[in-house]
Every structure is written in structure tokens, then in C-alpha cells.
Amino acid sequence: MLIKKKANLLLVIFIFILLFNGIALHIKTGNIVTSNLSLVEKRNTTLLFLELKYSLKKLQGISIDIATTGESLDLSKLKNEKNNYLKIVENIRKMSLSEKELKELKLINVKFKQFHSSLLSMAEAGIEKKISIFNQKKFMDIYNSSMEDLSDELSLLTVLNFDQRNDIQSQIIVSKEIISEAISLLDIDGIEVIKFRFLKKLKRIKKKLTFDQDKLDSFKKLYITFFDAGYNMAESSILVSKNEQKVKYELEVLKKISIEYEKSINKISETKIKELEIISLENQESISSAQNISKIANLCIAIGVLLLFFTLKSIVSSISKLEEGLIDFFKYINKEKVSVDSLDDSSNDEIGNMAKIINHNIIKTKSLIEQDDALIADVTRVVEEVRKGYLSHRVVLSTENESLQRLQIQLNEMLNNLESNIGKDTNIILNILSQYRKLDFRMCIDGASGNIESAINDLSKIINQMLVQNKQNGLSLDSSSDILLTNVDILNKN
């Protein structure tokens, strides 16, 4: 017999029993309905206070996220959650609250102004910190670049004598130390005096020069760029530190207010829970009275249960087998088992038909999982090779799983791009850069294919050419100095 026919038979029996039981219980349900309405209201009020507590925690979480990430766009989330908090408060006010509860709610709202102010202050400090970090990096790049350019430009000022050159070099070092000290002390007041003094010194040197004054002007502009970048870098670093301190301070304030919030809300919630317990006890008394009336109905239900037992026994047997098969299948899906067997689909009822459909999907899912496992193992292999520095390996296996297949394609495209931009073996690149750090620029990458490999080879050629040119210039200067000394000796003899 199909389950549908069995269910219809049982339905008729139980409709009769329920009608009899419903009429009997209707006599005593009046009080229960009234108390249940009160129970619902108390429960809704309790839930609203719990929502209020959750909203406060969510506000704090959003503010901490903004302070951490510095995303100014997330301020809208803070505003939306504040509106949600105010909406919850408005809904709580519509409930019937005692004077004590209204007083606690008023205290919560008074604290919320300070709480929200601290949230906003902490979020804004996080945003300012992010901006300051960006400016710090920007000016640091300018600072480092111009510092290298200063050294190069100073070497070209051949018009200066040895003492002037050393004096300028010393002033540059002093400027660097002053900027570093300002960052350490979080104070940039007065450091621009160093810049103005140095510029005056350059002005005095310029007056003594008879030629190449334009080179000294160029050096002066480069120094101004260097010092201003250092000044701005120090200023940004100080802002980063101050905003970090502000975030920590506001976080401590929020923790204190949060503890007070939780105490107030927990106090109201505990009161509501006690009221719910009282109403529940009243309901139990009403139900106890109704149970006496239900004894006759229970006798009828017992007869129905006997019929239900024998009817459901066959259904439960089929469902149990289906359940065991589904549990094994889900364990297989969740990687708790390494294999799975098909379900028993021998019965001719609806459960048997369901088992046949499930068996078809088990076979399909098993195949997909095996393909996914193989692909993941292949990806693991490639990732391990990339971790070792080899960028020429690719994921070769595929799967019918569209998400993992897209991952395979995108991973291979990323590796292709990395190999194109960097090269096949990063270990070779790191080895050559290690030699460059030792000032050995002779090594090149054979068969360079990536952009970085080619760039390293080009860099090696340029540096070697520059070294050769410097050597030639040095030899030329040495020869010129010998000639000059000879001419001086001749002039002295004459």
C-alpha cells in the first residue's frame, strides 16, 4: 500500500480524535490564551532588548572595523546601524514597561550619545590614520629618491672645494638625523631651522662661485624637495601615532560604556525573564486543569496510537534505511568517509522512488568529488612548486565543477602572467640580486623570458657601462692632474 493511502486512513481517524479533544479542551483554553498574549508581549520586549544589545555590539564592531581598515565609505554602515538602534528604542517605548524599566531605558539613551560620539571619533581617527599612512609612504618614497639624487648631484658639483663638499655632506646627514629624531620624538616643531640655515650657507657659497652657479641652484632645489618630503613624512608619522593613540583611548571608553550597557540591559532582561516564568507557572496551572478534561480524549488517542504504530512500523523501516543511506552519503560529502554505497531502493512506495533518485545523484556526486579531490591535489602540487620559486608549472587536471574549473583557469592565467612578468625561476633572480647587493654586477640571467629577468639584465649592462665610464673619467682626471702639475712646475721655474 502506498504511503498516501495509509496517510489518508490515519488522517480520518485522527480528525475524529482531534475534534473530540478540541471540543473538550476549548472549555479551559480561555485563560491560557490571555496569559499567552501577555507572554508574547513580554517575550517580544525581551527580544527587543536583546536586539538593542546586539545593535550596540554591532555599532562597536563597525567602528572598530573602520578604525582598523580606514574605509570612510563604511561610515554609512555606522549611520544605518545607528538608525536601526533608534528604531529598536522606539519599538521598545511602544511596549508596556514598568517605571523601573523606563528609567533604565532612559539611562541607556543618555549613555548612547557619549557611546556614539566615541564610536564616531574612533572611526574618524582610523580614517585619518589610513590617510596619514598613505601620505607617509608617498613622502617616504620622495624622501628616499631625493636623498639618492642629492648624493649624485653633490658628486657633480666639481666647482666646490673639498671642505665645502664635506660641509654640505655633513649638513645633509644632520638633516636626515633631525628628521629621524623628530619622528622618534613625535615633534617637528623647529626642525625647519636646519633647512633655512643650510639654504643661507648655500647662498654664501654661491656668491663665491664664478661659474656653475646653475648647478648649485639645481642642488638647492633638490635639497628643498628632500627636506620638505622628510618634514611631511615626519608629520604624517606623527599623525599616524596620534590617531593610533586616539583609537586606543576611544576603545577603552567604549569598553567601559559597553559594560554599563550590558549591566542595564541584562537587568531589564532578567526582570522580563522572571515575569515570563510567573506567566508560565500560571499557564501550567491552567493546563493542569485542562489535562483532567483531556483524559477521556487521551483514551481515544491511545487507541489511535495503536493503529498508528502498526501503520507506521512499515514506513519507519523504509525511512530508517533511507536515513542510514543519506547519513552515509552526507558523511562522504563531508569527507568523514572515503566511500559510499547506494541506498536500498527495493520498496515500491514513494520512499523507494526517492531512493532511486538519490542513488542517481550519489553516483554523480561521487564522480564530482573525486574529480575535485584530484584537481585540488594538482593545485597543491603547483602551489608547492611556486613556493619553491618555480613559476613554470601549471595545473593540468580539470573537473566538471564550474567554480573549481574557473579557479584552475584563473590560477594558470595568473601563473602565466607571473612567469611573463617575472620569469621561470625566482631563485636565480634572488641569487643575482644577492650578488648585486655585494656590488658584483657581472652576473646575468641566461635565456631571460620574464620582464623582471630582462630588466635585471638591462640593469647589469647599464651599471657595468656606467662603471667603465666612471673608470675612464677617473683615468682622464688623473692624466689631466699630472699635466696640470707639470705646467705649474714650469710656471714656478719661469
Side-chain angles (χ1 to χ4, degrees), residues 25-43:
L25 291 176
H26 181 69
I27 300 172
K28 288 304 255 179
T29 54
N31 292 335
I32 297 175
V33 170
T34 303
S35 60
N36 277 343
L37 290 174
S38 177
L39 188 68
V40 168
E41 184 178 4
K42 300 291 184 184
R43 184 201 65 185

Side-chain angles (χ1 to χ4, degrees), residues 420-458:
S420 174
N421 287 329
I422 299 174
K424 294 182 179 179
D425 191 346
T426 60
N427 297 305
I428 297 174
I429 296 174
L430 292 174
N431 183 41
I432 290 178
L433 291 177
S434 176
Q435 294 299 318
Y436 286 5
R437 191 182 296 114
K438 298 175 183 178
L439 302 180
D440 183 357
F441 302 100
R442 295 173 296 174
M443 293 183 64
C444 291
I445 301 174
D446 296 332
S449 58
N451 293 334
I452 291 179
E453 288 180 337
S454 299
I456 288 174
N457 285 346
D458 293 341

Side-chain angles (χ1 to χ4, degrees), residues 375 378-383 386 391-399 404-420:
L375 177 61
D378 196 24
V379 170
T380 303
R381 173 188 64 80
V382 172
V383 169
V386 172
L391 304 180
S392 58
H393 293 267
R394 299 293 182 270
V395 180
V396 295
L397 297 182
S398 60
T399 177
L404 286 180
Q405 188 60 31
R406 283 197 301 271
L407 174 63
Q408 185 252 23
I409 293 171
Q410 291 173 357
L411 184 59
N412 282 340
E413 288 176 352
M414 180 190 70
L415 290 173
N416 289 335
N417 190 35
L418 284 175
E419 184 177 350
S420 174

Side-chain angles (χ1 to χ4, degrees), residues 191 197 224 351 493:
I191 70 170
R197 288 177 180 172
I224 292 172
I351 294 177
K493 290 177 181 180

Side-chain angles (χ1 to χ4, degrees), residues 62-228:
I62 293 171
S63 181
I64 291 173
D65 288 342
I66 296 173
T68 304
T69 61
E71 290 294 335
S72 58
L73 296 177
D74 288 344
L75 286 174
S76 60
K77 294 182 181 178
L78 196 63
K79 182 179 179 181
N80 292 337
E81 191 56 37
K82 176 189 175 183
N83 293 334
N84 182 47
Y85 168 87
L86 296 175
K87 184 178 179 182
I88 295 172
V89 171
E90 188 64 28
N91 290 333
I92 291 176
R93 284 179 177 152
K94 294 178 182 178
M95 299 292 177
S96 69
L97 301 175
S98 64
E99 292 183 3
K100 185 178 180 181
E101 290 167 347
L102 288 171
K103 184 178 179 181
E104 290 290 342
L105 182 62
K106 185 177 180 180
L107 289 174
I108 290 172
N109 290 332
V110 170
K111 293 174 187 174
F112 181 74
K113 293 180 180 179
Q114 182 185 0
F115 182 75
H116 184 263
S117 176
S118 294
L119 288 175
L120 195 58
S121 179
M122 183 171 68
E124 290 173 347
I127 294 169
E128 291 176 3
K129 175 185 170 185
K130 180 182 178 181
I131 295 171
S132 299
I133 290 174
F134 174 80
N135 290 333
Q136 181 187 27
K137 185 178 182 304
K138 179 181 71 174
F139 291 120
M140 184 182 294
D141 292 340
I142 298 172
Y143 176 77
N144 292 331
S145 175
S146 45
M147 185 166 55
E148 294 176 2
D149 293 340
L150 271 176
S151 179
D152 295 339
E153 194 73 20
L154 181 59
S155 65
L156 297 176
L157 291 174
T158 56
V159 69
L160 300 178
N161 57 41
F162 180 78
D163 292 336
Q164 289 174 333
R165 192 186 301 271
N166 283 344
D167 189 22
I168 290 174
Q169 184 67 39
S170 299
Q171 289 296 325
I172 293 173
I173 293 172
V174 169
S175 298
K176 288 166 55 180
E177 292 174 349
I178 290 295
I179 290 171
S180 299
E181 186 178 357
I183 294 173
S184 301
L185 299 176
L186 302 180
D187 185 8
I188 58 174
D189 289 342
I191 70 170
E192 285 189 303
V193 173
I194 302 298
K195 169 186 169 183
F196 297 138
R197 288 177 180 172
F198 185 62
L199 293 179
K200 288 180 180 179
K201 181 172 290 188
L202 290 179
K203 187 176 181 181
R204 289 195 299 270
I205 293 173
K206 181 180 177 181
K207 290 180 179 179
K208 296 178 182 180
L209 298 178
T210 58
F211 61 93
D212 281 348
Q213 293 180 343
D214 55 337
K215 289 185 178 180
L216 190 62
D217 288 336
S218 177
F219 180 82
K220 175 183 174 182
K221 292 178 182 178
L222 190 58
Y223 174 80
I224 292 172
T225 301
F226 157 76
F227 191 90
D228 289 347

